[in-house]
Amino acid sequence: MKTHQFEVIVVGAGGAGLMAGLYASRTAKTAIITKLYPTRSHTGTAQGGIGAALGSEEEDHPEWHTYDTVKGSDYLGDQDAIEFMCEEAVQAVYELEHMGLPFDRTPEGKISQRPFGGHTNNVTGKPVKRACHAADRTGHMILQTLYQQCMKNNVNFFDEFQVVDLLMVNGAAAGVVAIELATGELHVFHAKAVIIATGGYGRIWEITSNAYAFTGDGPAIIMRRGLPLEDLEFFQFHPTGIYKLGILITEGVRGEGGVLINGKGERFMERYAPHVKDLASRDVVSRAIYMEIRDGNGANGQNYVYLDVRPESVNKYAALDGRKNKDGSPYTVTGEEILAKLPDIVDFCRVYLGVDPVTQLMPIQPTAHYAMGGIPTSKYGETILDETNATVPGLYAAGECACVSVHGANRLGTNSLLDLVVFGKHAGLRAAEFAKTVPFQPLPSDPTKYASSQFDRIRKADGKDNAFDIATTMKKVMFDKMGIFRSGKGMEEALTIVRALKQRYQHVSVTDTGKIFNTELINVWELGNLLDLAEAITVSAIARTESRGGHSREDYPDRDDKNWLKHSLAWVREDGKIDLKYKPVVITKYEPKVRTY
Amino acid sequence: MGLKRNVGLMEALRYQGKGPMLTYILHRIGGLSIVIFVGLHILAGYLANHAWGANLGIFINSIYENWLFQVFIFFFALFHAINGLRIVILDLWPKLIEYQREAIWLEWFVFLPIYGIALFVIVRSGLGG
Amino acid sequence: MEVTIKLFRYNPEKDKKPSYKTYKLEALETDRVLDLLEKVKGYQDGTLSFRRSCAHGICGSDAMRINGFNRLACKTLVRDTGAKITVQPLLGMRVIKDLIVDMEPFFEHYRSVKPWLINDDPEPEKERYQSVDQRAVFDDTTKCILCACCTTACPSFWGNEQYVGPAAIVAAHRFIFDSRDKAAAERLKILNEVWGVYRCHTIFNCTLACPREIQITRAIGEVKMALTTGKTE
Amino acid sequence: MKTKQRPAPLGGFNFDYIMWLFTRLSALAMYLIVIVALTGALLMSARQNMSIADLMRWAFMPNPNHVASTNIPDIEVWKTIFWQVMAILMLFFAGAHGLHGLLNVVEDYISSRRIRMSLRALVLVIWVAISLIGITVIVTS
Ligand SMILES: Cc1cc2nc3c(=O)[nH]c(=O)nc-3n(C[C@H](O)[C@H](O)[C@H](O)COP(=O)(O)OP(=O)(O)OC[C@H]3O[C@@H](n4cnc5c(N)ncnc54)[C@H](O)[C@@H]3O)c2cc1C
Ligand code: HEM
Ligand code: SF4
Ligand code: F3S
Ligand code: FES
């Protein structure tokens, strides 16, 4: 066992982790621990853009952005935090630009922006260009740029170290325990402040746009240490994933004028969102696709529909919608423009589908995409202890694993990257500030005890069950019963199955007895995290007897502001039972209204 | 822990490098054979002029006269020259690299007929025809 | 269809020498090689180790030699490989275990070219302007995901691991040709050394291997020309 | 809206750079010489009197030695100062190009700076020697 000491430890090197590390390292001795090489983080896959009301191409205001986000969140977002984020957004994007991020440019040389689902001009109700982008690899460029800045500023990195436990002493964070993948050795990182930025947990679902590494390690670790997780029932299904594979086709495709077409060749979004049509927010579009499929309008009678970005269709529908360029001329695109603006999408389709989107339709289906819920935090990234908003000293969280909550019940596209940058930065600043004011907590006497006990259990299990089977079953049942549409009965079934799987999981062992890169052991451990979260998610969802944002129940189809305008907090008790409590939503300016697009 | 970094020659040659890698290998072998041969040839020319080394000089020159050797050296010299021109052009005008695939086709297209004719002539005279 | 997949295996804690093991499994034409590796690991041999994350060719974790050619396992379909597949670790790197190689030297080279924006002018209030054309010059090289397919396909790198390698030159190109960056001269100086661009013999293995279809050799060529003409526009 | 021009870097005059450029330029120069030599040979009626191997030999090294044993009736026009200069030029380019090429191949595999520098010195010596010998052969034949 090796021990390291840093003032601030950041767990995770995605957009949130790097931003936090970059800022914390300015004043405090900081290290970033990550289970993947930083550039392998999932932020790199984000395609469409980062939202900020720069107004480089047309009129836009942070207030509009705030309103859209509040509305997008189905009024579950905390409005003070949303306001804060949307105000900071503009400067955050400029800051990224100064760091070297190669945004696409307008003819005047400004940062180019494109329309995105749910982002509107508040006066006309029409989509507004708010997503700042670098082709369709904005996340990639953010990740690379932040990593480059970290190198420039000599931030310490522990690459391929997987954090497996959080150390808490006297109710405050004291560090983390991590396993060095290359040697299998446990390391203790003693710290004054810990920032968790481990990303989401979309691997719980069968069809997902999320990486293999998205196993919810951070939230699971937090939960095991007796801290709550917020709003777990809200998980976003992105409308357009590649059929069967779940690989994401960015909303930017629809931003550039692509439309959804059902098996009968109709543009069906007109019926569900008459104003913004294909650019309605994600929960709305996903449900619409699902309903089309259920009504037998899927393509070829299967469970998918088409996304159409062929120039002739784009031009046809743009003309019908009366979409105009800035100078008032009708909006048109050519095949080359599609290729230039969406090169990676075109590449995915060619490689994985053998389909050329410039001339053919893309088969798509909704795909598990984004965790709105997670570790509850204040708008400065401080982790919240309970329903009174008390905070845990020295513990911070940011990024997809955190729940500020700016996304409420449904996240708008482009707001996650924004969330990473804004709250990553503030978490970093706060943590460094905090570290300057307190001494190190003493380490517990045997800091690695809990972590090694988890691995020992796996090593010693009887090996009667197969992890791959358990994972497959969990993913399937979660996608079927805990997907876009849910019902009390279905969710109960899911819960029973997940609990049974957790029992079976106790028998899973490993054949690899080595220490060096024992990925089998790690994968089994990660499966444990997914199962724990799946259970907590299902329990939280069953309790919420309404439909809101990403949580749609067939047995309770309406939003119920009277009883449910509140965040849920889930704790796992010593005996493994899950406790739920609730805390109010912060409402400043925008009273909940019926949500239509 | 771990294996040593090891790239054996065979391992490297087995990499499925396609057209350009082959031209690189041939270019390299060609360049080396030409320098070595040209060097020897110059020496031979010098030696042949002096009684003390005439035998050696003549022997080296007779290698050159051998048609089998000519088949070999002409292949590499011609290939080196044509491929070298491709490299020079691509290196000095990087924009043209867009057409690198075509460049390789073109290269073989130029090389094969010229070498074919030369081969025919050399072999015919070599076999005393 | 049934596919046979032959895997390079090496466990540093048990084996003195690497070996190959063959597995048979059912697969669809549209399956990724990565899916097959996952299945082998899940059902046939849990000890198999490899890196992966995003599963759609964007994170650069799973670069390996598939049928003798550097690719991403998640971007190679059974359709492209056929029913007989051989998978080996990248060439020219230290193998740590099975398909996992030591990436440190690769990142070392990457860092050596100062791949970050350097501009000491005071920052403007808003964005720095850059025309569409200025932005287009280095667009191609911003796509790099640092997968190392290129560097480990380069015979010069095989020959000597001190060569900075195409990936590092790509990273340098991205900044040298960025109109906002002011340190082109510094980077060119680094690349103007024995282990810089002059180990590149225009072999093109890098360009052909790049899963992001970056015109690497062209980028290297542009760097060489920048050294000759001093122009970086 | 034009961003400020950055200070343009110098061409960095070091051995590697110079030799890189020299290799390319000498390649072009050799092409030129070969073309001149070939045209000259054809003008001097090589077509009827020479085997293809001799023609090539002349093209790469326009040295009277290389055509002495052919069926050319009048060898005098081949033995001019002009062709001697061409031959020496060719020797210069091919020698430097080829020997540096040799060095380049070796350097691909040599990590040690000391060995590299010694090899460079050695190659320089060989180059000078070969050139001197070559020139002697050319002018004395
Ligand atoms: C396909 C796709 C497209 C998207 N497109 C957009 C978009 O257009 N706009 C937008 O705003 N958002 C988008 N998103 C959402 C957004 O990209 C993610 O929510 C965001 O990148 C998450 O960032 P993060 O920093 O929280 O986590 P990540 O970037 O995933 O980073 C997680 C980090 O934590 C580390 N880690 C995890 N577990 C451990 C552990 N146990 N120990 C140590 N380290 C650990 C990992 O190594 C990694 O470095 C998209 C998401 C996906 C999947
Ligand atoms: C018109 C004729 C020639 C052309 C166009 C030419 C072109 C080139 C070029 C462009 C290179 C550089 C390759 C690289 O750096 O990747 C090269 C290398 C080389 N050349 Fe030539 N060359 C010619 C003639 C010769 C001659 C006559 C010799 C021998 C005396 C020779 C020997 C070499 C050697 C040894 C190398 C190094 C090989 C390598 O780096 O792979 N070349 N040539
Ligand atoms: S240039 Fe291409 S092959 Fe090389 S590391 Fe980058 S993405 Fe990979
Ligand atoms: S393969 Fe290597 S030699 Fe140059 S063109 Fe690519 S870097
Ligand atoms: S797993 Fe990310 S590139 Fe293959």
Side-chain angles (χ1 to χ4, degrees):
Chain A
M1 184 189 92
K2 286 203 185 100
T3 309
H4 313 257
Q5 202 178 52
F6 290 94
E7 286 175 311
V8 177
I9 287 289
V10 182
V11 184
L18 292 173
M19 198 75 183
L22 193 56
Y23 272 89
S25 68
R26 289 191 179 174
T27 52
K29 193 175 164 218
T30 303
I32 300 181
I33 306 176
T34 165
K35 70 174 175 182
L36 306 167
Y37 273 102
T39 53
R40 317 279 190 241
S41 301
H42 209 43
T43 300
T45 63
Q47 304 167 348
I50 172 166
L54 304 183
S56 35
E57 302 208 44
E58 56 189 0
E59 185 185 357
D60 198 4
H61 307 283
E63 298 80 58
W64 291 1
H65 189 180
T66 308
Y67 171 72
D68 289 336
T69 306
V70 171
K71 178 177 168 193
S73 79
D74 223 348
Y75 296 93
L76 194 74
D78 286 331
Q79 296 183 7
D80 56 338
I82 295 177
E83 226 166 287
F84 178 73
M85 177 177 81
C86 296
E87 291 288 341
E88 294 256 308
V90 178
Q91 221 39 57
V93 166
Y94 289 142
E95 190 183 353
L96 287 175
E97 199 279 337
H98 294 158
M99 287 178 179
L101 201 149
F103 282 110
D104 283 356
R105 300 290 171 156
T106 66
E108 302 89 64
K110 296 195 222 164
I111 295 172
S112 168
Q113 295 180 287
R114 60 160 68 116
F116 235 74
H119 293 282
T120 60
N121 177 315
N122 284 188
V123 178
T124 62
K126 286 252 157 58
V128 70
K129 292 187 178 178
R130 190 177 289 149
C132 313
H133 59 95
D136 50 2
R137 55 188 125 86
T138 317
H140 165 78
M141 291 321 328
I142 291 186
L143 187 66
Q144 298 279 335
T145 306
L146 290 176
Y147 181 49
Q148 290 158 356
Q149 288 298 313
C150 285
M151 284 188 292
K152 184 178 180 183
N153 292 298
N154 292 319
V155 178
N156 300 299
F157 279 97
F158 289 85
D159 296 337
E160 302 198 320
F161 277 66
Q162 183 149 4
V163 171
V164 290
D165 192 17
L166 170 73
L167 298 175
M168 300 269 291
V169 177
N170 306 326
V176 294
V177 178
I179 177 165
E180 179 178 7
L181 299 180
T183 61
E185 213 180 318
L186 286 175
H187 291 239
V188 174
F189 289 84
H190 190 194
K192 293 178 183 174
V194 174
I195 305 175
I196 311 274
T198 56
Y201 40 79
R203 278 278 150 184
I204 292 177
W205 285 268
E206 183 185 8
I207 307 285
T208 176
S209 66
N210 284 188
Y212 276 107
F214 255 28
T215 51
D217 300 359
I221 290 170
I222 291 270
M223 200 150 90
R224 278 185 210 128
R225 283 295 182 181
L227 295 171
L229 296 180
E230 183 176 344
D231 287 345
L232 289 178
E233 59 271 39
F234 298 104
F235 197 88
Q236 180 168 74
F237 287 79
H238 193 291
T240 53
I242 289 183
Y243 179 51
K244 279 193 180 154
L245 292 170
I247 298 169
L248 194 80
I249 304 288
T250 172
E251 215 164 283
V253 170
R254 281 169 286 139
E256 300 296 348
V259 289
L260 290 163
I261 302 284
N262 67 16
K264 291 187 188 149
E266 300 164 342
R267 181 196 199 188
F268 55 86
M269 279 313 295
E270 297 177 320
R271 282 185 270 126
Y272 299 89
H275 288 292
V276 290
K277 301 180 183 138
D278 297 277
L279 285 173
S281 80
R282 289 181 180 167
D283 54 336
V284 176
V285 182
S286 288
R287 277 197 293 274
I289 293 175
Y290 188 88
M291 287 194 266
E292 286 298 309
I293 290 170
R294 202 171 44 180
D295 297 348
N297 289 342
N300 302 323
Q302 302 281 324
N303 53 344
Y304 64 92
V305 295
Y306 291 118
L307 178 59
D308 185 354
V309 69
R310 297 173 302 179
E312 58 272 23
S313 320
V314 171
N315 295 342
K316 180 174 124 199
Y317 289 108
L320 282 178
D321 293 349
R323 187 167 168 185
K324 294 276 192 305
N325 286 331
K326 207 165 126 193
D327 57 12
S329 59
Y331 177 85
T332 56
V333 295
T334 61
E336 286 88 65
E337 280 165 358
I338 297 286
L339 209 66
K341 284 184 172 162
L342 304 163
D344 284 3
I345 300 298
V346 174
D347 186 48
F348 293 152
C349 292
R350 286 181 183 161
V351 171
Y352 296 108
L353 293 168
V355 158
D356 185 348
V358 180
T359 54
Q360 287 165 293
L361 300 169
M362 299 176 245
I364 55 106
Q365 88 186 108
T367 177
H369 184 53
Y370 184 84
M372 268 79 73
I375 307 167
T377 69
S378 74
K379 66 182 178 191
Y380 301 111
E382 299 144 322
T383 302
I384 283 169
L385 180 64
D386 57 19
E387 66 282 9
T388 65
N389 282 335
T391 55
V392 184
L395 188 60
Y396 300 79
E400 185 168 342
C401 68
C403 176
V404 183
S405 138
V406 283
H407 308 306
N410 171 59
R411 169 178 75 93
L412 288 191
T414 78
N415 271 358
S416 167
L417 290 177
L418 182 56
D419 168 353
L420 308 181
V421 185
V422 171
F423 296 108
K425 169 176 165 179
H426 285 283
L429 287 173
R430 268 295 153 108
E433 217 173 276
F434 174 82
K436 288 291 162 205
T437 60
V438 295
F440 279 98
Q441 298 281 353
L443 278 177
S445 58
D446 186 0
T448 57
K449 191 168 142 217
Y450 188 45
S452 21
S453 75
Q454 296 179 30
F455 289 116
D456 287 345
R457 192 206 61 65
I458 297 173
R459 284 211 190 84
K460 293 208 187 90
D462 57 20
K464 273 196 282 205
D465 236 309
N466 178 300
F468 207 75
D469 266 339
I470 296 180
T472 316
T473 319
M474 169 191 71
K475 289 175 184 176
K476 197 155 167 32
V477 70
M478 289 298 282
F479 199 73
D480 290 346
K481 311 276 183 202
M482 280 293 297
I484 301 168
F485 276 105
R486 301 162 175 183
S487 70
K489 192 163 148 279
M491 290 191 289
E492 292 290 355
E493 280 170 33
L495 186 60
T496 319
I497 295 176
V498 168
R499 288 197 168 138
L501 290 175
K502 281 185 77 166
Q503 287 307 316
R504 285 176 58 189
Y505 175 73
Q506 296 302 321
H507 298 286
V508 173
S509 185
V510 285
T511 49
D512 192 342
T513 50
K515 285 178 134 307
I516 298 172
F517 274 106
N518 191 338
T519 49
E520 188 183 16
L521 184 65
I522 296 291
N523 290 355
V524 170
W525 181 78
E526 288 173 339
L527 175 63
N529 299 343
L530 291 176
L531 283 167
D532 284 357
L533 289 171
E535 185 187 8
I537 290 169
T538 314
V539 170
S540 307
I542 291 171
R544 189 176 279 270
T545 50
E546 65 158 351
S547 287
R548 183 188 294 272
H551 177 65
S552 310
R553 291 185 64 149
E554 282 165 308
D555 40 359
Y556 296 92
D558 296 318
R559 198 172 81 194
D560 177 359
D561 286 335
K562 207 162 117 254
N563 296 309
W564 287 107
L565 189 58
K566 56 187 179 187
H567 298 291
S568 63
L569 291 175
W571 279 264
V572 56
R573 285 203 319 241
E574 287 281 320
D575 61 0
K577 289 268 152 37
I578 288 167
D579 276 344
L580 291 175
K581 285 185 188 160
Y582 294 89
K583 67 171 196 167
V585 174
V586 180
I587 292 180
T588 56
K589 282 195 216 143
Y590 310 97
E591 282 304 317
K593 284 195 292 203
V594 182
R595 181 161 158 260
T596 53
Y597 281 102
Chain B
M1 182 194 79
L3 290 177
K4 274 222 286 292
R5 175 181 195 268
N6 183 7
V7 201
L9 182 65
M10 285 328 285
E11 193 85 22
L13 287 178
R14 238 180 266 134
Y15 184 80
Q16 301 291 313
K18 307 194 178 132
M21 182 163 144
L22 178 68
T23 62
Y24 156 73
I25 296 170
L26 294 179
H27 190 85
R28 194 146 260 212
I29 302 177
L32 292 180
S33 0
I34 318 171
V35 231
I36 292 169
F37 173 72
V38 168
L40 285 177
H41 185 60
I42 295 174
L43 268 177
Y46 179 72
L47 292 178
N49 284 348
H50 300 267
W52 49 270
N55 282 342
L56 185 58
I58 290 165
F59 171 71
I60 296 175
N61 275 343
S62 69
I63 299 179
Y64 179 83
E65 311 281 334
N66 188 306
W67 67 273
L68 276 170
F69 180 76
Q70 285 187 356
V71 168
F72 161 84
I73 199 77
F74 192 71
F75 177 91
F76 283 113
L78 185 65
F79 186 84
H80 187 94
I82 294 176
N83 187 55
L85 189 63
R86 175 182 69 99
I87 294 177
V88 171
I89 293 174
L90 294 184
D91 267 353
L92 297 183
W93 290 274
K95 279 204 171 62
L96 295 176
I97 286 180
E98 207 177 308
Y99 305 104
Q100 68 96 356
R101 219 174 281 268
E102 289 78 0
I104 298 232
W105 283 116
L106 186 69
E107 173 180 334
W108 287 108
F109 198 73
V110 173
F111 174 80
L112 288 176
I114 300 185
Y115 185 62
I117 294 169
L119 193 65
F120 178 71
V121 174
I122 297 172
V123 171
R124 201 182 52 176
S125 68
L127 295 181
Chain C
M1 66 199 243
E2 196 191 58
V3 295
T4 346
I5 183 161
K6 189 172 138 196
L7 299 177
F8 177 99
R9 299 301 307 274
Y10 171 70
N11 180 345
E13 287 157 288
K14 291 214 180 100
D15 310 338
K16 282 226 172 57
K17 273 210 213 134
S19 60
Y20 287 89
K21 284 209 186 104
T22 308
Y23 306 85
K24 281 190 175 21
L25 67 167
E26 273 302 308
L28 299 173
E29 288 241 301
T30 50
D31 276 348
R32 298 165 271 206
V33 172
L34 182 62
D35 299 329
L36 305 186
L37 294 178
E38 281 288 326
K39 272 197 203 147
V40 169
K41 186 176 174 63
Y43 290 121
Q44 300 193 24
D45 190 345
T47 60
L48 175 66
S49 297
F50 51 92
R51 293 191 178 100
R52 87 276 187 267
S53 180
C54 71
H56 65 284
I58 217 80
C59 73
S61 304
D62 56 350
M64 41 189 88
R65 245 179 318 153
I66 300 175
N67 289 350
F69 186 72
N70 283 0
R71 297 156 181 275
L72 299 176
C74 62
K75 231 184 154 178
T76 309
L77 306 191
V78 174
R79 187 167 58 207
D80 314 324
T81 58
K84 276 212 167 58
I85 308 173
T86 310
V87 184
Q88 296 157 291
L90 294 173
L91 203 55
M93 315 282 254
R94 241 165 34 84
V95 175
I96 301 179
K97 182 179 179 189
D98 295 343
L99 301 171
I100 297 180
V101 295
D102 181 6
M103 295 291 288
E104 273 316 312
F106 174 80
F107 280 102
E108 196 60 49
H109 283 317
Y110 172 64
R111 286 189 285 267
S112 75
V113 300
K114 306 191 178 176
W116 45 75
L117 190 87
I118 301 178
N119 184 332
D120 301 327
D121 293 350
E123 281 165 6
E125 210 161 283
K126 291 193 168 182
E127 70 264 54
R128 293 192 191 94
Y129 284 7
Q130 182 170 52
S131 74
V132 174
D133 290 342
Q134 284 171 326
R135 168 67 177 77
V137 184
F138 65 98
D139 184 65
D140 203 33
T141 41
T142 62
K143 297 193 299 204
C144 175
I145 54 176
L146 297 172
C147 64
C149 276
C150 53
T151 298
T152 57
C154 174
S156 281
F157 180 77
W158 298 336
N160 200 316
E161 91 182 301
Q162 269 164 294
Y163 171 38
V164 292
I169 305 179
V170 162
H173 178 278
R174 182 240 166 279
F175 288 99
I176 291 173
F177 290 90
D178 188 335
S179 61
R180 301 168 297 169
D181 185 87
K182 306 272 184 199
E186 270 168 64
R187 292 194 186 88
L188 286 174
K189 192 155 173 285
I190 297 166
L191 293 179
N192 195 21
E193 294 296 327
V194 198
W195 303 114
V197 290
Y198 301 117
R199 292 272 78 71
C200 170
H201 302 298
T202 328
I203 302 172
F204 282 103
N205 273 7
C206 52
T207 308
L208 295 179
C210 179
R212 304 282 292 151
E213 291 174 14
I214 298 173
Q215 291 296 315
I216 304 176
T217 311
R218 175 169 174 181
I220 300 177
E222 285 171 357
V223 170
K224 287 175 180 164
M225 277 332 274
L227 281 164
T228 307
T229 61
K231 284 213 189 86
T232 58
E233 290 298 308
Chain D
M1 77 111 256
K2 183 138 173 60
T3 41
K4 211 168 65 193
Q5 192 89 14
R6 283 157 306 175
L10 275 175
F13 267 66
N14 63 9
F15 182 78
D16 303 278
Y17 169 69
I18 294 169
M19 288 319 290
W20 176 80
L21 197 62
F22 175 80
T23 304
R24 301 276 120 208
L25 296 182
S26 62
L28 290 179
M30 283 190 278
Y31 257 95
L32 204 74
I33 295 172
V34 167
I35 288 168
V36 171
L38 266 179
T39 333
L42 292 177
L43 284 180
M44 292 182 296
S45 75
R47 228 170 73 81
Q48 294 87 8
N49 307 315
M50 242 183 218
S51 75
I52 199 153
D54 288 329
L55 190 65
M56 282 309 297
R57 207 132 69 113
W58 173 262
F60 273 101
M61 180 49 65
N63 170 7
N65 234 350
H66 285 158
V67 292
S69 57
T70 51
N71 302 328
I72 294 166
D74 177 12
I75 205 86
E76 285 311 309
V77 285
W78 302 76
K79 279 188 170 175
T80 59
I81 295 285
F82 174 75
W83 289 120
Q84 282 188 351
V85 171
M86 288 300 268
I88 291 173
L89 274 179
M90 189 67 183
L91 181 69
F92 170 75
F93 285 124
H97 172 108
L99 281 170
H100 173 259
L102 189 70
L103 181 65
N104 201 19
V105 172
V106 178
E107 282 188 2
D108 276 354
Y109 307 95
I110 303 286
S111 309
S112 146
R113 196 186 135 80
R114 264 222 351 263
I115 299 183
R116 191 167 64 242
M117 289 306 163
S118 334
L119 281 176
R120 283 181 182 180
L122 182 68
V123 165
L124 188 69
V125 171
I126 298 180
W127 179 60
V128 171
I130 288 277
S131 298
L132 288 179
I133 296 174
I135 291 172
T136 334
V137 175
I138 292 169
V139 291
T140 55
S141 58

